[in-house]
Amino acid sequence: MSREITYAEAVREAMAQAMDADDRVFLMGEDIGVYGGAFGVTNGMIDRFGPSRIRDTPISENGTVGVGVGAALLGMRPVIEMQFSDFVANAMDPLVNQAAKIHFMFGGQLCVPLVVRLPAGGGTGAAAQHSQSQEAWFVHVPGLKVAMPATPADAKGLLLAAIADDNPVVFVEHKLLYRVRGDVPEAAEPLPFGQGVVRRQGRDVTVVATSLMVHKALEAAERLQEQGTSVEVFDPRTLVPLDAAGITASVMKTGRLVVVHEAVERGGFGAEIAAVVSGGEAFSYLQAPIRRVAARNTPIPYSPGLEAAVIPSVDDIVAAVAATVSGG
Amino acid sequence: MATRVTMPKLGMTMLEGNLEKWDVQEGQHVQKGDVLFDVMTDKVSMEVEAPADGFLAGVRVHEGDSVPVGALMAYLLADGEALPGEDAGQPPEPSAGAGERNMAVSASPETTATPVPNTAAPPQAEAPGAAAAAAASANGAQTFGIPATPAARRLAREAGISLQDVQGTGRGGRVEAEDIERYLAHRPAATAAPAATAAPAATVAPAATAAPAATAPPAATAASAATAAPAATAAPATGPAPGSGSAPAGVPLDPVRRAIAEHMLRSAAVPQVTMEAVVDMTEAARLREAINASADVRVSYTDLIARAAAAALKRFPGLNARFDGERLELCARIDMGLAVALPENRGLVVPVVRDAGALSLSELAVARGDLVRRAQAGTLTPDDMAGGSFSLTNLGSYGVRSFNPLLNVPQVATLGVGAIRAPAPGAPLEVALCLTFDHRVLDGAPAAAFLQHLAALLAQPYRLL
């Protein structure tokens, strides 16, 4: 059975069901208790699970994630919310140098079943320190898994899988997705990592998009359809592990690839996808250069007009796809 | 200026050639047109001429090496000239015209009759660094320097065609998959060799369609394999691409056909005369019947006429000759070219029966039968077709009464044979023999005398035994 709920509700439901099922699961974060979190994701959870499992933390991400790593090492399954994904910069040492590596440094005797949720992305007028898309930072750290669900159902299923995973998982939630509604199964059904999904079937070009950009890509595809261009939209859902086979199969079908993400272009995950495609079986099927649509290489401006210019728009995707299909 | 010596493209499907041997030592001087090296492609060995005068230097390919088409093999240097800085991968500046540069990259068309096609590629085709890329690349180098999408390269590889032959319509002249499909749709069916009375030429080796090596996509941690098998891109279109817009009608000739066309043009430049004699074949028919009733070897009219022509050429050696415009070579031996139609309209080849004058009728029939079989099987070698001194072409089996064969230059005479027929019911069998000769070196009287002698031999063919 499923019903339509918001992305935020889906995330909340996943956490609540995981907590119901497993006493070891608990939440930490800034203002997640009575306040319900900066984006309301944990609304009401403290009433149900109490302050020992819904733990408000000081404004010290380094400390919070460090505590989470310790708790995980001792057998708990903490889920930590960064109030804004940007703040995870403060927690890089426990996350990158501890959580990601302990399993490997101790010969597999220990694991760190930690989830760090990152409300990410711009478009909110929140400027440079509250708008970033940092997924590439974590993709580059072996030992971390990275999920970027684009729909409420994926958010629930992948978060359940992340909490059940014995590895540390960075879970990226775009802030503008929280109010997006969609059908979500009521049951606690985890979704496998490393399995992308074709959001829209197409013939002429593959658009691989992540998170919020999946929706922009679908809108662009709709518009391009009117112009006679058939766009396939592929959502990898998790970046680590990545469904390289799914992307490759799609590109071998269409012969063209446009990668769309909200993170800045330089060093972004789009380059990784492009390399996976051009370095693999799909190479010989490419009919045009691979294009990336990504944020300009600049901090997100506060000015709404400038912010809109920096972040990829539907128009940007339409233009890039049109240029790619015309062989440019 | 140093002239680059590169692996020529000797056939439409040739991707690389095996250097059989250098015919010239490093440091030795050659003149343009001298045989420089021998190349073995899939089935055929060929001599390649020096594209210019010079000293052979900077040899980087050794006998037995496989060399991609277009790859740099050596240089020809002027006296005292230093090797270009090839380590920088810079080909010599194209101060010469583009045509000359193509020559330097090509084999000499005169001997191979399969010249490098005029590249339809844009100027980037000879971009700096291309030589290094070609030399470094072991495969696919036939397309070096030609901008093309990976998909177009794959399609071209699978179809066994060269990107050089395809007009790119993408940005900057880039060859795209559609261009390959359009090319394939318009390409003439013919893939084979020379036409009637064409000079010795190689048969075209079958396309070696190298399957692209499938590399597994790099799997991140534990990527799922649950996705569907890849679908192939569109198959080549079977008809002309609709709406090709303002593109000019028609397609360029494929390289083999172009070689034939050039050869025919050279022939047509020769002042030549065709004269026809009608010969009584009654006795020849009777003789042939008697032989075929008793002997193991079946003798055809072509064998009889070839045998007679060889006998007549002994008496008239002036027709058994080669003339290159300056020097007339009377050939000591009668090496008789016999035009053979290839199956499926793939053209004609002219393999040569060696020393036909020394062969008996049955030996000649055996030799001719062997050449015909191998021509139709596509297993003739360039040697089989090189160096004829006289040619014979028989269209009689098509019911052609008589025709006007063009000279197979540099030979000075060609004999065309029409249908053997009775002009009226009950009348004796007869055939039209059509002799074309080069009027620069022969006059009508000796040619006619040859024809008259030939007619007499056929009228009393027992003298041929």
Side-chain angles (χ1 to χ4, degrees), chain A residues 80-98:
Chain A
I80 298 173
E81 176 182 294
M82 292 288 112
Q83 191 166 67
F84 284 78
S85 73
D86 311 73
F87 307 162
V88 77
N90 286 303
M92 286 305 266
D93 184 65
L95 191 53
V96 171
N97 286 332
Q98 307 302 337

Side-chain angles (χ1 to χ4, degrees), chain B residues 35-407:
Chain B
V35 174
L36 191 57
F37 56 89
D38 288 15
V39 174
M40 176 70 83
T41 63
D42 278 3
K43 291 190 173 143
V44 173
S45 168
M46 293 187 181
E47 295 177 345
V48 177
E49 295 178 2
D53 295 0
F55 293 93
L56 184 64
V59 171
R60 60 194 56 212
V61 173
H62 302 102
E63 294 178 358
D65 286 356
S66 271
V67 186
V69 167
L72 181 64
M73 300 169 69
Y75 288 97
L76 292 173
L77 302 181
D79 198 3
E81 188 180 14
L83 275 175
E86 68 265 29
D87 286 346
Q90 297 289 336
E93 281 306 305
S95 56
E100 282 178 58
R101 283 181 56 73
N102 280 342
M103 273 299 295
V105 174
S106 77
S108 140
E110 278 81 10
T111 54
T112 63
T114 47
V116 166
N118 268 331
T119 167
Q124 296 94 305
E126 291 273 338
S137 164
N139 56 42
Q142 82 282 4
T143 62
F144 78 92
I146 296 178
T149 65
R153 288 181 196 280
R154 176 180 52 85
L155 291 174
R157 187 169 61 236
E158 287 171 0
I161 61 178
S162 166
L163 290 175
Q164 288 180 331
D165 301 335
V166 181
Q167 179 73 50
T169 62
R171 181 191 241 181
R174 184 164 61 206
V175 178
E176 306 198 325
E178 276 182 10
D179 298 325
I180 303 286
E181 286 159 10
R182 193 176 306 120
Y183 174 85
L184 289 172
H186 287 80
R187 180 171 64 163
T191 53
T197 67
T203 52
V204 171
T209 49
T215 52
T221 344
S224 152
T227 43
T233 52
T238 51
S244 44
S246 59
V251 290
L253 292 181
D254 67 64
V256 171
R257 197 68 231 176
R258 194 180 302 131
I260 293 167
E262 285 166 6
H263 188 73
M264 290 298 104
L265 206 57
R266 282 199 299 278
S267 175
V270 172
Q272 51 193 296
V273 176
T274 302
M275 54 177 57
E276 179 185 327
V278 175
V279 178
D280 186 336
M281 292 294 278
T282 311
E283 291 303 315
R286 196 170 290 160
L287 172 66
R288 176 172 169 269
E289 222 166 85
I291 292 173
N292 288 345
S294 60
D296 294 337
V297 179
R298 277 190 61 83
V299 169
S300 68
Y301 284 113
T302 303
D303 297 325
L304 268 172
I305 293 167
R307 175 77 185 87
L313 286 171
K314 282 183 189 169
R315 166 125 11 145
F316 296 90
L319 281 84
N320 190 50
R322 300 162 65 91
F323 181 57
D324 64 5
E326 290 175 8
R327 302 175 64 83
L328 176 65
E329 176 196 3
L330 293 181
C331 300
R333 214 170 60 171
I334 297 165
D335 291 329
M336 189 174 298
L338 297 169
V340 178
L342 295 177
E344 296 157 20
N345 285 330
R346 284 186 290 114
L348 276 153
V349 288
V350 191
V352 174
V353 177
R354 300 291 161 197
D355 206 357
L359 300 180
S360 72
L361 184 57
S362 60
E363 286 168 343
L364 199 151
V366 168
R368 191 187 64 85
D370 172 59
L371 289 174
V372 169
R373 263 190 308 281
R374 289 198 288 126
Q376 289 172 346
T379 58
L380 289 176
T381 68
D383 284 347
D384 286 324
M385 293 180 278
S389 60
F390 181 87
S391 289
L392 188 148
T393 171
N394 185 345
L395 290 176
S397 61
Y398 297 98
V400 169
R401 199 163 160 184
S402 72
F403 61 105
N404 216 12
L406 280 182
L407 282 177

Side-chain angles (χ1 to χ4, degrees), chain A residues 145 193-195 234 239-246 248-249 252-256 275-276 279-281 283-289 291 326-328, chain B residues 149-152 154-155 157-158 170-171 174 176-178 212-233:
Chain A
K145 292 187 177 182
F193 273 44
Q195 204 170 98
F234 189 93
L239 306 190
V240 181
L242 178 68
D243 188 357
T248 296
M252 286 173 74
K253 181 174 84 169
T254 63
R256 298 179 182 90
V276 162
E281 199 183 355
F283 171 74
S284 294
Y285 292 79
L286 285 175
Q287 304 199 47
R291 264 204 172 64
S326 71
Chain B
T149 65
R154 176 180 52 85
L155 291 174
R157 187 169 61 236
E158 287 171 0
R171 181 191 241 181
R174 184 164 61 206
E176 306 198 325
E178 276 182 10
T215 52
T221 344
S224 152
T227 43
T233 52

Side-chain angles (χ1 to χ4, degrees), chain A residues 10-284:
Chain A
V11 172
R12 185 188 311 140
E13 185 168 282
M15 294 190 292
Q17 287 180 344
M19 291 175 76
D20 281 337
D22 188 341
D23 286 345
R24 299 173 300 172
V25 179
F26 71 102
L27 312 189
M28 288 194 286
E30 294 156 16
D31 296 329
I32 65 167
V34 174
Y35 186 64
F39 301 97
V41 173
T42 54
N43 263 345
M45 291 186 77
I46 193 165
D47 299 331
R48 184 167 164 202
F49 295 102
S52 65
R53 295 185 78 189
I54 309 294
R55 302 181 79 97
D56 271 326
T57 64
I59 303 176
S60 173
E61 290 78 11
N62 188 348
T64 305
V65 176
V67 167
V69 171
L73 285 170
L74 290 171
M76 302 298 282
R77 304 189 89 85
V79 179
I80 298 173
E81 176 182 294
M82 292 288 112
Q83 191 166 67
F84 284 78
S85 73
D86 311 73
F87 307 162
V88 77
N90 286 303
M92 286 305 266
D93 184 65
L95 191 53
V96 171
N97 286 332
Q98 307 302 337
K101 296 181 171 60
I102 284 172
H103 178 75
F104 299 89
M105 291 176 68
F106 292 91
Q109 298 178 81
L110 298 164
C111 59
V112 183
L114 167 74
V115 176
V116 178
R117 295 178 38 242
L118 303 183
T124 58
Q129 296 164 316
H130 298 76
S131 301
Q132 295 173 79
S133 299
Q134 301 138 297
E135 64 272 12
W137 297 5
F138 303 104
V139 164
H140 200 60
V141 178
L144 299 179
K145 292 187 177 182
V146 180
M148 287 190 86
T151 67
D154 284 358
K156 179 176 177 184
L158 290 172
L159 186 52
L160 285 166
I163 294 168
D165 201 302
D166 282 341
N167 296 288
V169 176
V170 174
F171 201 85
V172 182
E173 304 159 9
H174 198 289
K175 296 185 282 280
L176 292 181
L177 287 174
Y178 282 134
R179 290 173 182 281
V180 168
R181 302 184 70 85
D183 271 353
V184 177
E186 286 176 19
E189 293 165 359
L191 283 172
F193 273 44
Q195 204 170 98
V197 62
V198 174
R199 295 281 179 209
R200 178 193 174 100
Q201 300 270 354
R203 237 181 10 258
D204 300 328
V205 56
T206 297
V207 173
V208 174
T210 55
S211 192
L212 179 66
M213 290 298 149
V214 172
H215 301 272
K216 292 193 178 180
L218 287 168
E219 201 180 323
E222 199 60 41
R223 236 197 268 170
L224 285 154
Q225 187 68 49
E226 292 160 17
Q227 302 171 14
T229 300
S230 169
V231 179
E232 178 145 313
V233 177
F234 189 93
D235 173 7
R237 303 202 279 194
T238 60
L239 306 190
V240 181
L242 178 68
D243 188 357
I247 294 170
T248 296
S250 177
V251 174
M252 286 173 74
K253 181 174 84 169
T254 63
R256 298 179 182 90
L257 174 63
V258 174
V259 187
V260 187
H261 58 58
E262 187 178 315
V264 293
E265 181 180 75
R266 185 171 59 220
F269 194 68
E272 178 69 19
I273 293 176
V276 162
V277 166
S278 64
E281 199 183 355
F283 171 74
S284 294

